[in-house]
């Protein structure tokens, strides 16, 4: 893939995601995970309320309706230290209604072009948003720029579904349907995986910013329970499902309904695979004269 093709594919995906959120709120179900707390709480747990004398500055990248920021206010972080950015005006409007009485700073902007000064943020959090922020290298360099020394980047991302699980079957049904119906499907990959080996997020973060993982990526599952009808309603919020034509969507619904047929109206366990990754920018070190490097 040439640089030109890559930036064209990135632009197409970006336009699609922005338009998608005009209609669809990108919030995730707030249910327990296999690690205990909800996926929002897992990210909030990465923020030490003791940092920066009890007032860490936290940026939520792709904040959507602001639920993660709200959890941080509930934990006592001053609202004026909380910043939410999202490139979807609709998502920011939803967040503004949530924080009508609080001075949380909310900006409509691209993740790779933040209206923030260098070294001014203690934590950057991204809940189910970093994977679609293109170009990813530019976004990661921007995160590195705004984080102060010792600053932390913590992200929750989707993961490959387990084969044989409902999510695994859905993923297969979706890719087969896309192959039948779309000659030029949307791609979330940053590289052409036909010609280049797939890089993990940790590799991309290290390569572009030099930041290191604080702990190895932690896989976990969102402990969802849904009936077939609920699962089909849940698919409405899936970027790729929504990119299909009506007949293609009907094929997916029929195939998914068959998966659930044996369970009738009953709720089925549907663990959604996710992962938590935490990176840190090196702390500033003093040189021999006592100045900071
Ligand atoms: C799946 S939603 C998650 C929203 C929120 N973090 C949550 O979990 O409730 C992804 C969000 O990232 C935002 N987003 C995607 N790409 C972006 C970009 N390049 N710059 C800023 N925001 C972006 C979308 O508008 C959307 O609100």
């Amino acid at each position: 893939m040439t640089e030109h093709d890559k930036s064209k594919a990135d632009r197409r995906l970006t336009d699609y995601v922005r338009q998608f959120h005009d209609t669809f709120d990108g919030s995730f179900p707030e249910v327990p995970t296999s690690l205990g707390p909800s996926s929002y709480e897992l990210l909030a747990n990465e923020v030490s309320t003791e940092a920066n004398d009890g007032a860490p500055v936290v940026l939520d990248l792709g904040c959507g309706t602001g639920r993660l920021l709200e959890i941080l206010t509930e934990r006592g972080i001053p609202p004026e230290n909380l910043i939410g950015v999202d490139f979807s005006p609709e998502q920011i409007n939803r967040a503004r209604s949530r924080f009508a009485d609080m001075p949380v700073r909310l900006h409509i902007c691209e993740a790779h072009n933040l209206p923030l000064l260098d070294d001014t943020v203690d934590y950057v959090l991204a809940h189910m948003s970093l994977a679609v922020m293109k170009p990813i290298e530019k976004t990661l360099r921007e995160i590195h720029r705004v984080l102060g020394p010792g600053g932390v980047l913590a992200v929750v991302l989707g993961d490959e579904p387990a084969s044989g699980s409902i999510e695994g079957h859905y993923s297969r049904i979706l890719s087969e349907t896309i192959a039948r119906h779309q000659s030029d499907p949307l791609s979330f990959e940053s590289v052409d995986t036909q010609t280049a080996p797939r890089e993990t997020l940790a590799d991309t973060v290290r390569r572009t910013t030099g930041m290191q993982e604080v702990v190895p990526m932690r896989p976990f599952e969102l402990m969802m329970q849904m009936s077939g009808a609920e699962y089909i309603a849940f698919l409405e919020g899936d970027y790729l499902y929504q990119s299909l034509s009506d007949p293609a969507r009907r094929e997916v619904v029929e195939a998914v309904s068959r998966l659930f047929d044996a369970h009738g109206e009953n709720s089925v366990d549907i663990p959604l695979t996710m992962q938590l990754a935490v990176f840190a920018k090196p702390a500033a070190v003093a040189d021999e004269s006592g100045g900071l490097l």
Side-chain angles (χ1 to χ4, degrees):
M1 196 189 271
T2 64
E3 273 308 306
H4 175 75
D5 289 345
K6 179 172 165 341
S7 70
K8 207 168 129 199
D10 282 352
R11 245 193 333 271
R12 177 171 172 231
L13 185 79
T14 299
D15 290 346
Y16 177 80
V17 170
R18 197 188 333 237
Q19 271 174 22
F20 178 97
H21 288 292
D22 285 349
T23 313
F24 295 99
D25 165 0
S27 305
F28 263 69
E30 224 174 313
V31 295
T33 64
S34 49
L35 296 175
S38 76
S39 54
Y40 290 94
E41 287 167 326
L42 284 177
L43 265 193
N45 289 352
E46 294 300 323
V47 176
S48 161
T49 43
E50 282 160 26
N52 210 356
D53 290 331
V57 176
V58 185
L59 166 64
D60 184 0
L61 207 60
C63 64
T65 67
R67 177 59 188 140
L68 177 57
L69 292 168
E70 186 177 50
I71 293 174
L72 294 170
T73 63
E74 289 161 5
R75 293 184 180 191
I77 299 191
E80 59 275 20
N81 282 29
L82 297 175
I83 308 162
V85 301
D86 203 292
F87 70 0
S88 157
E90 282 306 315
Q91 292 282 72
I92 289 289
N93 283 343
R94 294 175 186 124
R96 285 199 175 122
S97 324
R98 192 190 288 274
F99 298 116
D101 305 327
M102 282 191 212
V104 171
R105 290 182 267 162
L106 295 166
H107 301 282
I108 300 168
C109 66
E110 299 264 6
H112 63 256
N113 194 10
L114 299 170
L116 302 172
L117 298 173
D118 295 359
D119 298 348
T120 49
V121 173
D122 299 301
Y123 292 91
V124 174
L125 308 181
H127 185 266
M128 294 305 284
S129 55
L130 191 65
V132 294
M133 292 177 161
K134 309 290 180 183
I136 186 68
E137 290 90 350
K138 218 169 159 188
T139 302
L140 291 170
R141 282 195 291 271
E142 188 67 343
I143 292 170
H144 184 262
R145 180 184 71 75
V146 299
L147 274 177
V152 169
L153 164 66
V155 301
V156 161
L157 302 158
D159 203 354
E160 290 290 317
S163 70
S165 65
I166 292 217
E167 274 290 276
H169 286 300
Y170 167 65
S171 168
R172 178 186 45 76
I173 291 166
L174 186 66
S175 48
E176 288 171 1
T177 311
I178 287 173
R180 275 197 305 278
H181 286 266
Q182 293 182 335
S183 54
D184 185 18
L186 281 172
S187 170
F188 287 88
E189 300 294 344
S190 286
V191 292
D192 181 354
T193 46
Q194 305 287 310
T195 57
R198 199 168 174 175
E199 198 180 43
T200 65
L201 174 75
D203 291 336
T204 317
V205 172
R206 268 192 299 269
R207 174 170 61 79
T208 51
T209 67
M211 288 196 286
Q212 299 291 335
E213 268 174 293
V214 176
V215 286
M217 285 236 185
R218 255 179 294 166
F220 67 92
E221 288 167 347
L222 209 60
M223 312 296 274
M224 300 285 292
Q225 286 189 324
M226 285 181 271
S227 65
E230 286 163 341
Y231 188 71
I232 287 163
F234 176 69
L235 296 182
E236 293 289 318
D238 180 358
Y239 294 126
L240 288 178
Y241 173 79
Q242 281 299 340
S243 76
L244 293 170
S245 62
D246 287 346
R249 245 181 275 171
R250 272 196 296 277
E251 283 179 28
V252 172
V253 168
E254 279 162 20
V256 167
S257 304
R258 281 195 294 277
L259 276 180
F260 280 86
D261 274 352
H263 303 283
E265 303 270 293
N266 299 330
S267 279
V268 182
D269 288 334
I270 307 176
L272 299 188
T273 47
M274 302 177 115
Q275 48 191 330
L276 171 67
V278 186
F279 304 89
K281 184 169 170 175
V285 284
D287 66 14
E288 281 166 11
S289 65
L292 289 181
L293 291 174

